[in-house]
Amino acid sequence: MPPKARQTRAAKAENDNASIEKLAAKHWQGKSAKWAATVVDQILEKAVGSSTLHTQLQWLERQQYLEQYLWPNYSKGRQNDSTVISCMLMINEKYEQGLLTTMWTIFETGFEDLLDDAVQLMMRVLNGDKVRVGSVDMVSVVRMAGVQFLIACFGSMETESVRTQCMQLVGLAIWYHMEEETRGFMLRKVPQLPKFWKHTQKGFVENKRVSKAEAEKNCRYRDFIPQLLRDLAKQCASLEYQMYCAKVLELLVDLESQLPTRRFLNPLLQDFEIVEECRQRMAVTEDELCVQLLKRLDSRIQFPVTDVTGHAQSAAQMRERQLERISRWQLQAFQADKELFEPIVIASAAQLGTTDSLQALLEPMEMKQVQQLARMAFVRTQSAITGEEQPREMLIRSLCNQMHVDVLGEREMWSPYPDEKLVFGKTVGMAEAYNRSEEKSQLGYALLDVPKLGLQYLSEQDFLKRSFELLQLETAAELRTEIQEAVRRMQPHEEEGTDEVIFDGWTRMALPLSVLDVVAVQPPRVGEQVPARVQARLKVDLSSYTDSIKAEWTQVRPRDVLILLAVRQSGAVRVRGCQVESVDMPEDEGSSVLGFRVLLDPAQYARDKNNVYGELNVALRRQAQESSFKPVLETLRQLADSPPTLPKWLAPVVLGYGDPAAVRQEKDTVFMGDTFISIEHIKESFTEYARVDVSEDVDTEAPMVEVEIPADTTGTVLVRSVGQQNSKLPWLHQQKHNMLSFTPAQVQAVAEAGQRGLTLVVGPPGTGKTDVAAQIVSNLYHAHPQQTVLLLTHSNQALNQLFERIVALDIEPRHLLRLGHGEESLDSTERFSNAGRIESFLERRRELLEQVQALADSLQVPGDYRDSCESARFFYVAHVRVRWDAYLRKTREFPFTRYFQEQKGTLFPEGCDEEAVAHACFAYLERLFDEVAEIQPFELLQSARERALYLLKRQARVVAMTCTHAAMRLGELQQMGVRIGSVVMEEAAQVLDVETLLPLTLSQTLERVVLIGDHNQLPPVVKSPGLRAFSRMEQSLFARLIRLGVPFVELDCQARARPSIASLYRHRYRSLGDLKPLVFQGAYAQPNPGFAHVLQFIDVTDYQGQGESEPSRYFYQNLGEAEYVVAVYQYMRLIGYSAEQVAILTTYNGQRALINDVLNRRCRPYEQFGMPRAVSTVDQFQGQQADFVLLSLVRTRNIGHIRDIRRLTVALSRAKLGLYVFGRRSLFESCFELQSAMQMLLANGDQLVLEKTSLAKDTKNKAAAKEPIVVEGVEAMGKLVVEMA
């Protein structure tokens, strides 16, 4: 849109919004709210007839039009057409903005009436009735708003009231509209259905149990979807209703993508031949989006799951069903007239199952024959849409579709590399420009031809297929930006009269190719269509580039991804991908030619019929972390070609249709290890039970226990000692013991994680998620010595923090392994990477063999046992074990006294149990030789790869990596046969659904999965706006399982923030309390020096005549807030606060850049100020904390994405001692989602109140003079700082 037109539209929107504010103030805001139906008519008529419709809907939603005006009066029976339409529009607006967490709470009661009214209204429109409000025709509005309303409803099936009502629209009753023969055949396939069908029919007529109103409603719900299908087919030929048709197709795809809604709908769609009916009519309009959505619907209808029962079908089972269908058809043709239908009767199943062959058999037949064959195959001969006789071509196509089977397409043709059609296609472009509502002048909702991630999936393959497509689209969106930027910088142009492209510019990320040759193409493997391997050779000339660019390109390593481009003067016209196999460095010092051996993608190569590789002339490299998409997509492709890989006990719930409670396999006794620090701690942890019985042999100082937990709280908790108790000689085994006093909720989480099955742990901010995860890993390590624990997190930073906690627990370092990048940042003297572990083993080998030699010398056994582990183990069997057995037979004294006295000093202290000490000493020796035995294979294995493989498969018992690294190495780990018994994932709510699921497919022997996270904080990061909002790609498995109703443990004591700050987000959790006495003592019990309040909202008015600004699209800034925040930071530094105590947060990257600019001018050059600990966006600061947080909200016209209550929770929970929020009060106070927090923040006024007092370090000087200073605004704060400085 041109800038002038945008300004005009913005001015009109401001006028419209001002009039809405006046209506809101008069009718539903404040104490004197008054209902008037004419107001609803007036607002609706004006909005629908306006060119700023979407802006007005957003403004009405912000003014709580639905919550405070429409719905309170709707439930009182005051609804009319305007009210119903307005409610649907407001619900749709909330759905578009992703406000699902707050939307349905409004309709706890009364949703049934709203849905029925909406269906009645839509049925009137579908039947051709007119709907008007004032002078405005509302027919198109009802169509669009109604379908979008249903999409929103069916997208919220976890809400019971919504699910109960909406399921009536897609129940068995809709089969009333199927052909009778087809319906009878379908009913007979499932034994229970005929009885259920008979019962259903009783609800359509008035009787003793069904009132007239109920019968009419049942009929409406029965007829609605079939009528919508008829309307869809009719409107497909209309240019006016293409967006409406696309929305109906979106709704049908959504319904077909969930088993409960698909069960009875799918046979109806097949009976109606809806795809062919629409395809026939779309030939008139050729709307690309509708055509693509129709293809998507067709693939959903044909998806390999059984109708009604919903069981997933393998390719073999689908072909078996096809053969049954063909055989039954042939038999009926034979019985009807074997001579007339001879071509069909004698044809092979292969002929009848192939579209071209069957079409050739049907073409010569007369119309009556084709109709008769169609009826035998349960294909309609009369259109379900018009009632007219189906044309011959339509019947033949329908018969071919009925006999053909397409099993998920050819998965081997899926390529992990996006090509130019995807990168520069409309879908990626629309996803990047998603929901720019200010450019819409009519009612329309954003729509993309992409799959959605929902609560449920049809099968494991369905989940993998959707995830593959979405991840590939996200990669394509990233590549689109990178390619466009690289091509712009390279400035290509073509020489006149030639095809040669000359590059006048340069970029460090892309180089012209001097050579590209395909050097080897291996033939396809048996049963496959694509080459097994395609190898190519690339060369680039670095002679004209700087040394830094040369260094970057020579650092390209095997397995890195290069993107190959065909660049013309108009831009990139071809996009292909390859993986580096080897790098050929320049042969001599004078050469600057760098070569690469690369592997091209066989699927792309097979699809390229022409020699497109001869056109490629540019190689684009990506950062190493950006190349992870390729192995992840390859893993998804491989899994989609395999049988289901999820453990059988886990698959139903993960796919969304199992019993949520069935994922817990509770057992009586749970190993708790050193979870408790005392017997009193044990008893305090089980106060809800009637009794706690602690065995007498439990150590009072460092208990190691197992706990038998009764089924209900009336039983007795039995606590028994396990393992060896601490010896009087602690040097024998310096056992580390947990020193944390876990809360009862934390103990419950640890206990449940020790059982088989799925455990979800919700950890609000500051509740010790990391400590709980570390204890869970420690307990699993000790309880299951034959299994490996896989430890996963979203980020390297979180993984290192968790790993450091684990290292501090009683886990042998030799059993720990940390894979992937980031290991070098660990705060530990040990190295836990593959190479580091092997090096440590070899160093430890020398130490152990020295001890073995010392033992041999003490026993006066001749020989050198330091040369190998093998000789050391021989020494153990021949000498150590023999002497110990003799001691046990009491034929000699303790044989190792001299060794232990030489090594450790006094062996038998006065008053000790000598036999117990002797056994403890021999246990020490056994551990020594066990460790020698574990290290011995590293003497035999010589190559680094063999050693790394052995380390991972046989030695490591706790393997830690990020989820992305796990997804990248999944295939390799599966080939190794690593036995994973438990998966523990921290930050699970920040990990994509697919990245969480992939590690769970590692092993069928997986016994327990522990997911720890907080779905009330920010979800995974997805850059593409369209994929994030429309496809719900930001959904995590953790959040989805919570929505599905899987039981979870919620940690309930926070130890991060002052209680008053924690109250800002406390309502988001069940019963979040404060850890006593930690947050009630020390700095928590003192006021913040220099401030009158510990938390405040500071109203920031326009500064220099301006509020928010937008220098470039979505790059929001607010100079007034930036200046104010920096001035407050300067004030804090001047009165003695440390820079490390303060973090400045904001909600936009633009504001972060602006704040950094102001800090660089005002603070960085001056030692008395310096830079704060962090200047970050809220999203980037998740998982971190600071003593004091200064938060800038930036926006002054629209609330922006802080409206996402999850982002607000993160923003408010980063501060420990002080939180000061800067924003526009009038804007944020009116927001429904922010009201609870805003009321508490504004309790201390909206102007910053300071106090002249002593330095921050002198918090105990309560007698210091305190003079309150009310800061009037930005200028006043700046003036105060100047005076103090």
Side-chain angles (χ1 to χ4, degrees):
M1 181 181 295
K4 189 172 181 180
R6 186 174 295 170
Q7 290 175 0
T8 304
R9 182 184 291 273
K12 186 175 188 322
E14 286 185 11
N15 291 333
D16 293 338
N17 295 341
S19 64
I20 290 173
E21 280 188 339
K22 290 179 181 178
L23 285 170
K26 180 178 179 181
H27 291 278
W28 65 84
Q29 291 181 348
K31 297 180 180 179
S32 58
K34 297 179 181 179
W35 167 257
T38 55
V39 173
V40 179
D41 294 344
Q42 178 186 346
I43 291 174
L44 182 60
E45 183 180 2
K46 183 177 179 181
V48 172
S50 170
S51 61
T52 60
L53 169 61
H54 277 272
T55 304
Q56 290 191 54
L57 291 177
Q58 290 175 358
W59 202 258
L60 283 165
E61 196 277 327
R62 266 186 47 201
Q63 298 297 323
Q64 301 176 40
Y65 183 43
L66 176 65
E67 299 94 321
Q68 293 192 10
Y69 197 57
L70 291 175
W71 189 247
N73 290 287
Y74 192 101
S75 57
K76 296 177 183 177
R78 293 172 170 171
Q79 69 270 28
N80 56 16
D81 287 352
S82 296
T83 316
V84 175
I85 296 171
S86 298
C87 283
M88 291 194 297
L89 289 171
M90 289 296 97
I91 289 172
N92 293 345
E93 190 61 36
K94 285 183 175 291
Y95 180 76
E96 288 261 291
Q97 294 185 34
L99 302 174
L100 292 174
T101 54
T102 59
M103 184 172 75
W104 296 117
T105 57
I106 302 167
F107 304 102
E108 289 182 359
T109 58
F111 177 78
E112 178 181 356
D113 295 332
L114 175 60
L115 181 64
D116 189 30
D117 291 340
V119 169
Q120 283 192 64
L121 184 60
M122 290 188 69
M123 283 292 283
R124 285 164 49 195
V125 170
L126 295 178
N127 290 329
D129 295 349
K130 296 292 183 181
V131 177
R132 303 185 69 86
V133 174
S135 60
V136 179
D137 185 358
M138 290 288 168
V139 169
S140 60
V141 173
V142 171
R143 286 181 189 273
M144 285 296 297
V147 174
Q148 182 67 21
F149 171 68
L150 291 176
I151 290 171
C153 293
F154 281 106
S156 306
M157 295 289 280
E158 73 275 19
T159 306
E160 185 176 358
S161 59
V162 177
R163 180 177 64 253
T164 303
Q165 296 303 316
C166 289
M167 285 301 296
Q168 297 179 52
L169 294 172
V170 289
L172 180 61
I174 62 175
W175 282 14
Y176 175 84
H177 294 269
M178 290 173 63
E179 282 215 322
E180 189 172 348
E181 289 185 9
T182 306
R183 182 175 63 239
F185 174 74
M186 292 298 299
L187 289 172
R188 289 191 296 274
K189 289 174 70 174
V190 181
Q192 300 88 347
L193 279 185
K195 185 177 180 181
F196 186 31
W197 171 257
K198 187 176 180 181
H199 174 74
T200 302
Q201 300 311 297
K202 296 177 182 178
F204 301 138
V205 292
E206 183 181 359
N207 55 56
K208 293 180 180 180
R209 296 184 178 181
V210 181
S211 67
K212 182 179 179 181
E214 288 175 329
E216 290 176 350
K217 175 187 172 182
N218 292 339
C219 289
R220 279 195 300 273
Y221 280 35
R222 176 196 67 190
D223 300 340
F224 177 73
I225 291 293
Q227 190 65 12
L228 186 66
L229 295 177
R230 295 186 180 99
D231 190 60
L232 166 67
K234 291 175 182 176
Q235 302 302 336
C236 277
S238 170
L239 289 171
E240 180 183 357
Y241 285 108
Q242 288 308 293
M243 184 52 69
Y244 160 73
C245 292
K247 272 291 165 182
V248 176
L249 289 172
E250 179 194 347
L251 172 64
L252 294 176
V253 171
D254 288 353
L255 295 176
E256 284 285 293
S257 299
Q258 298 185 83
L259 285 176
T261 54
R262 170 195 176 91
R263 180 168 287 121
F264 302 116
L265 176 64
N266 198 61
L268 180 73
L269 295 180
Q270 291 177 319
D271 180 64
F272 270 43
E273 291 288 341
I274 192 64
V275 172
E276 285 299 329
E277 292 279 5
C278 291
R279 187 175 287 149
Q280 185 179 16
R281 292 167 174 80
M282 277 182 189
V284 179
T285 60
E286 296 184 347
D287 182 81
E288 185 176 343
L289 182 58
C290 283
V291 170
Q292 293 302 319
L293 286 169
L294 193 63
K295 288 181 181 178
R296 190 171 295 280
L297 175 62
D298 191 23
S299 70
R300 292 281 90 186
I301 292 173
Q302 304 300 330
F303 195 86
V305 293
T306 58
D307 295 331
V308 185
T309 59
H311 294 145
Q313 300 284 287
S314 66
Q317 289 172 320
M318 290 295 290
R319 292 189 180 96
E320 186 178 340
R321 287 179 59 193
Q322 179 193 27
L323 290 175
E324 288 178 3
R325 189 161 53 241
I326 290 173
S327 298
R328 184 178 61 247
W329 189 44
Q330 285 182 301
L331 178 61
Q332 287 183 319
F334 177 83
Q335 292 173 342
D337 192 331
K338 63 180 181 181
E339 295 180 357
L340 184 63
F341 300 117
E342 183 179 358
I344 300 298
V345 171
I346 65 173
S348 66
Q351 280 182 293
L352 299 181
T354 306
T355 300
D356 292 340
S357 301
L358 179 57
Q359 193 169 351
L361 292 174
L362 294 173
E363 284 292 348
M365 294 186 181
E366 296 179 359
M367 180 64 172
K368 289 184 178 180
Q369 292 176 264
V370 174
Q371 288 177 331
Q372 198 171 349
L373 285 171
R375 281 190 287 271
M376 295 175 192
F378 301 109
V379 171
R380 282 181 178 264
T381 57
Q382 290 185 324
S383 171
I385 308 302
T386 62
E388 298 175 356
E389 190 175 88
Q390 292 282 29
R392 175 191 178 83
E393 296 77 11
M394 179 82 168
L395 288 176
I396 292 176
R397 279 200 306 271
S398 297
L399 279 169
C400 291
N401 292 338
Q402 186 83 304
M403 300 302 156
H404 177 67
V405 170
D406 180 20
V407 185
L408 277 182
E410 296 295 339
R411 285 187 289 266
E412 65 184 37
M413 297 300 288
W414 297 0
S415 171
Y417 301 111
D419 60 13
E420 65 278 358
K421 293 179 181 178
L422 196 60
V423 172
F424 301 113
K426 285 187 177 181
T427 300
V428 171
M430 291 171 66
E432 292 302 293
Y434 181 80
N435 208 21
R436 292 182 182 168
S437 58
E438 67 271 19
E439 296 182 2
K440 300 176 186 175
S441 59
Q442 300 177 8
L443 181 63
Y445 297 100
L447 178 59
L448 298 174
D449 173 33
V450 295
K452 293 180 184 177
L453 299 184
L455 275 179
Q456 299 176 321
Y457 301 97
L458 301 180
S459 66
E460 191 175 324
Q461 277 63 36
D462 176 37
F463 172 80
L464 295 169
K465 185 176 187 296
R466 293 195 220 180
S467 299
F468 182 95
E469 189 172 346
L470 289 175
L471 283 174
Q472 192 182 51
L473 282 166
E474 188 184 29
T475 302
E478 294 172 0
L479 280 176
R480 182 187 182 117
T481 303
E482 294 173 20
I483 292 171
Q484 289 174 341
E485 179 64 15
V487 172
R488 182 185 68 81
R489 289 177 176 272
M490 294 182 77
Q491 301 175 25
H493 75 272
E494 299 176 24
E495 290 288 334
E496 290 187 15
T498 69
D499 292 334
E500 184 181 0
V501 178
I502 307 298
F503 298 98
D504 295 331
W506 62 275
T507 174
R508 61 190 322 117
M509 301 305 293
L511 296 177
L513 286 170
S514 55
V515 173
L516 192 159
D517 293 324
V518 177
V519 295
V521 180
Q522 292 184 5
R525 298 183 182 91
V526 176
E528 294 185 358
Q529 301 177 16
V530 303
R533 176 185 170 94
V534 181
Q535 189 182 50
R537 179 169 57 97
L538 312 179
K539 287 186 179 180
V540 293
D541 188 352
L542 300 171
S543 58
S544 58
Y545 293 89
T546 64
D547 290 341
S548 63
I549 295 178
K550 290 179 182 177
E552 289 175 4
W553 277 88
T554 54
Q555 288 172 5
V556 173
R557 293 289 177 265
R559 301 177 73 110
D560 284 354
V561 169
L562 296 178
I563 304 301
L564 307 178
L565 309 174
V567 177
R568 313 300 299 176
Q569 185 169 330
S570 57
V573 296
R574 300 282 189 189
V575 180
R576 295 293 181 271
C578 64
Q579 186 178 54
V580 176
E581 187 177 32
S582 63
V583 182
D584 301 327
M585 303 301 290
E587 297 179 0
D588 53 63
E589 295 183 3
S591 174
S592 298
V593 177
L594 183 65
F596 300 98
R597 292 273 176 172
V598 300
L599 296 176
L600 301 175
D601 182 60
Q604 278 189 340
Y605 187 84
R607 282 200 303 264
D608 292 328
K609 298 179 180 179
N610 301 321
N611 183 23
V612 302
Y613 296 92
E615 303 174 30
L616 303 176
N617 57 356
V618 171
L620 173 75
R621 67 179 175 86
R622 309 188 78 202
Q623 301 294 343
Q625 63 271 22
E626 295 173 342
S627 298
S628 61
F629 76 91
K630 194 259 182 182
V632 174
L633 288 173
E634 279 191 330
T635 299
L636 288 173
R637 180 173 64 182
Q638 291 166 4
L639 288 176
D641 267 331
S642 308
T645 51
L646 279 170
K648 293 181 179 179
W649 64 267
L650 183 62
V653 170
V654 167
L655 296 176
Y657 51 81
D659 178 8
V663 293
R664 293 288 311 284
Q665 302 174 30
E666 297 185 2
K667 61 179 181 179
D668 295 335
T669 305
V670 182
F671 178 88
M672 297 296 286
D674 62 350
T675 303
F676 306 103
I677 61 173
S678 66
I679 292 178
E680 290 73 22
H681 184 205
I682 295 175
K683 294 179 178 179
E684 291 170 358
S685 300
F686 299 101
T687 54
E688 72 273 22
Y689 290 90
R691 184 183 171 192
V692 180
D693 189 356
V694 182
S695 175
E696 293 181 359
D697 61 347
V698 173
D699 193 320
T700 57
E701 297 178 358
M704 289 283 292
V705 300
E706 63 180 16
V707 179
E708 187 175 323
I709 303 175
D712 57 73
T713 56
T714 60
T716 300
V717 177
L718 302 178
V719 183
R720 295 182 290 268
S721 177
V722 293
Q724 295 181 349
Q725 300 303 312
N726 290 338
S727 169
K728 298 291 184 183
L729 302 174
W731 49 262
L732 288 176
H733 178 42
Q734 296 180 356
Q735 182 176 355
K736 303 173 186 176
H737 197 282
N738 162 53
M739 302 302 293
L740 295 174
S741 180
F742 289 113
T743 67
Q746 290 175 322
V747 170
Q748 182 189 356
V750 172
E752 293 199 6
Q755 301 174 2
R756 291 188 175 188
L758 173 65
T759 302
L760 301 184
V761 180
V762 175
T767 52
K769 294 187 291 290
T770 303
D771 292 322
V772 170
Q775 189 62 41
I776 289 170
V777 171
S778 176
N779 288 358
L780 294 175
Y781 167 84
H782 288 288
H784 306 284
Q786 302 304 316
Q787 295 181 356
T788 299
V789 178
L790 180 61
L791 179 61
L792 302 167
T793 66
H794 167 62
S795 63
N796 279 302
Q797 179 185 8
L799 186 60
N800 286 342
Q801 289 175 356
L802 179 53
F803 205 78
E804 287 165 7
R805 305 281 178 91
I806 291 171
V807 169
L809 297 175
D810 187 35
I811 297 178
E812 293 286 351
R814 69 180 187 273
H815 292 149
L816 296 173
L817 181 62
R818 162 76 161 85
L819 299 179
H821 299 291
E823 185 268 343
E824 63 280 356
S825 302
L826 272 174
D827 185 14
S828 174
T829 55
E830 293 267 2
R831 292 182 59 199
F832 294 98
S833 64
N834 263 323
R837 282 290 83 209
I838 293 170
E839 184 180 326
S840 296
F841 273 123
L842 297 178
E843 291 176 2
R844 180 63 176 160
R845 169 183 173 275
R846 289 190 288 271
E847 296 173 5
L848 292 172
L849 293 180
E850 287 292 342
Q851 292 189 42
V852 171
Q853 186 61 45
L855 179 61
D857 293 342
S858 70
L859 296 175
Q860 298 181 344
V861 176
D864 187 355
Y865 296 98
R866 288 171 295 193
D867 61 337
S868 70
C869 294
E870 184 178 5
S871 60
R873 294 184 68 190
F874 170 78
F875 168 72
Y876 170 76
V877 173
H879 299 284
V880 178
R881 188 76 215 186
V882 169
R883 284 168 170 77
W884 174 250
D885 290 341
Y887 169 75
L888 292 178
R889 293 193 300 270
K890 304 300 181 183
T891 59
R892 61 182 299 169
E893 294 182 353
F894 184 64
F896 311 115
T897 302
R898 180 182 171 190
Y899 168 76
F900 283 106
Q901 286 179 340
E902 290 176 354
Q903 296 285 321
K904 310 296 181 180
T906 303
L907 181 60
F908 297 107
E910 186 177 348
C912 73
D913 182 342
E914 293 189 8
E915 186 172 348
V917 171
H919 278 82
C921 288
F922 186 71
Y924 172 86
L925 292 177
E926 281 191 312
R927 286 194 296 272
L928 187 151
F929 284 100
D930 284 346
E931 196 170 350
V932 168
E934 289 182 359
I935 292 176
Q936 184 179 358
F938 292 97
E939 290 182 340
L940 306 174
L941 301 171
Q942 296 301 313
S943 73
R945 176 172 176 77
E946 288 177 333
R947 287 175 169 177
L949 178 61
Y950 180 83
L951 176 65
L952 182 60
K953 188 173 180 179
R954 296 295 179 86
Q955 191 68 265
R957 289 184 46 213
V958 177
V959 181
M961 64 187 84
T962 63
C963 293
T964 301
H965 191 79
M968 290 170 59
R969 297 193 62 180
L970 187 70
E972 184 181 346
L973 293 172
Q974 286 176 329
Q975 289 177 0
M976 290 179 182
V978 180
R979 179 182 170 83
I980 302 295
S982 305
V983 171
V984 179
M985 182 181 295
E986 228 243 286
E987 296 186 319
Q990 293 179 257
V991 182
L992 290 174
D993 205 337
V994 65
E995 288 187 344
T996 307
L997 184 134
L998 286 179
L1000 306 184
T1001 66
L1002 263 174
S1003 174
Q1004 287 289 334
T1005 62
L1006 185 65
E1007 293 182 357
R1008 63 192 58 80
V1009 176
V1010 184
L1011 303 181
I1012 305 171
D1014 185 3
H1015 60 294
N1016 293 311
Q1017 296 189 58
L1018 284 169
V1021 175
V1022 176
K1023 294 179 181 178
S1024 170
L1027 300 183
R1028 181 174 61 247
F1030 182 83
S1031 295
R1032 305 181 199 130
M1033 192 178 172
E1034 67 175 8
Q1035 170 178 273
S1036 67
L1037 176 62
F1038 184 86
R1040 183 161 66 85
L1041 292 173
I1042 296 285
R1043 289 175 63 196
L1044 284 166
V1046 175
F1048 61 89
V1049 180
E1050 185 170 292
L1051 308 183
D1052 58 4
C1053 283
Q1054 70 87 23
R1056 172 184 296 173
R1058 293 180 186 270
S1060 55
I1061 294 176
S1063 294
L1064 294 170
Y1065 51 88
R1066 205 183 300 276
H1067 66 283
R1068 296 280 291 142
Y1069 303 94
R1070 286 175 175 172
S1071 56
L1072 181 60
D1074 304 303
L1075 187 62
K1076 299 177 182 179
L1078 189 61
V1079 294
F1080 294 92
Q1081 61 188 13
Y1084 292 100
Q1086 303 295 330
N1088 295 336
F1091 293 90
H1093 310 290
V1094 297
L1095 72 160
Q1096 230 189 324
F1097 185 94
I1098 297 99
D1099 186 28
V1100 184
T1101 56
D1102 285 357
Y1103 177 68
Q1104 297 179 355
Q1106 189 176 28
E1108 71 174 67
S1109 60
E1110 192 180 1
S1112 59
R1113 197 150 185 109
Y1114 304 128
F1115 198 72
Y1116 295 106
Q1117 295 182 335
N1118 188 316
L1119 181 59
E1121 288 184 21
E1123 293 281 4
Y1124 209 151
V1125 165
V1126 172
V1128 172
Y1129 166 70
Q1130 290 177 301
Y1131 166 78
M1132 295 177 73
R1133 295 289 288 124
L1134 287 171
I1135 66 172
Y1137 286 91
S1138 164
E1140 278 298 308
Q1141 290 181 283
V1142 184
I1144 299 177
L1145 304 183
T1146 181
T1147 47
Y1148 291 93
N1149 284 313
Q1151 185 73 348
R1152 181 187 60 178
L1154 181 59
I1155 291 172
N1156 272 318
D1157 287 344
V1158 178
L1159 284 167
N1160 288 331
R1161 285 186 285 109
R1162 303 275 174 85
C1163 299
R1164 188 183 291 276
Y1166 307 106
E1167 188 176 345
Q1168 60 183 337
F1169 297 128
M1171 296 293 281
R1173 174 192 165 183
V1175 179
S1176 175
T1177 62
V1178 170
D1179 297 41
Q1180 292 167 341
F1181 206 68
Q1182 180 166 341
Q1184 303 178 60
Q1185 56 190 294
D1187 288 347
F1188 302 92
V1189 168
L1190 309 178
L1191 173 62
S1192 170
L1193 297 181
V1194 186
R1195 304 300 296 274
T1196 58
R1197 289 195 289 267
N1198 289 309
I1199 293 169
H1201 57 211
I1202 194 65
R1203 185 154 189 201
D1204 186 335
I1205 198 72
R1206 298 169 298 182
R1207 183 170 284 105
L1208 180 69
T1209 300
V1210 175
L1212 299 178
S1213 61
R1214 299 306 96 196
K1216 297 169 67 176
L1217 301 174
L1219 173 65
Y1220 303 95
V1221 183
F1222 300 79
R1224 183 64 57 89
R1225 173 176 180 169
S1226 59
L1227 178 68
F1228 294 100
E1229 190 179 23
S1230 65
C1231 179
F1232 177 74
E1233 289 75 21
L1234 309 185
Q1235 277 185 350
S1236 175
M1238 286 296 295
Q1239 287 173 3
M1240 285 182 272
L1241 286 168
L1242 289 169
N1244 299 318
D1246 62 4
Q1247 288 183 310
L1248 181 62
V1249 184
L1250 306 176
E1251 291 179 346
K1252 285 188 176 180
T1253 184
S1254 56
L1255 294 181
K1257 296 177 182 178
D1258 188 15
T1259 57
K1260 295 182 180 180
N1261 185 7
K1262 297 181 181 180
K1266 296 182 179 180
E1267 300 177 19
I1269 302 172
V1270 178
V1271 181
E1272 299 291 340
V1274 185
E1275 294 87 350
M1277 190 69 223
K1279 183 179 178 182
L1280 176 63
V1281 170
V1282 170
E1283 291 174 355
M1284 294 178 65

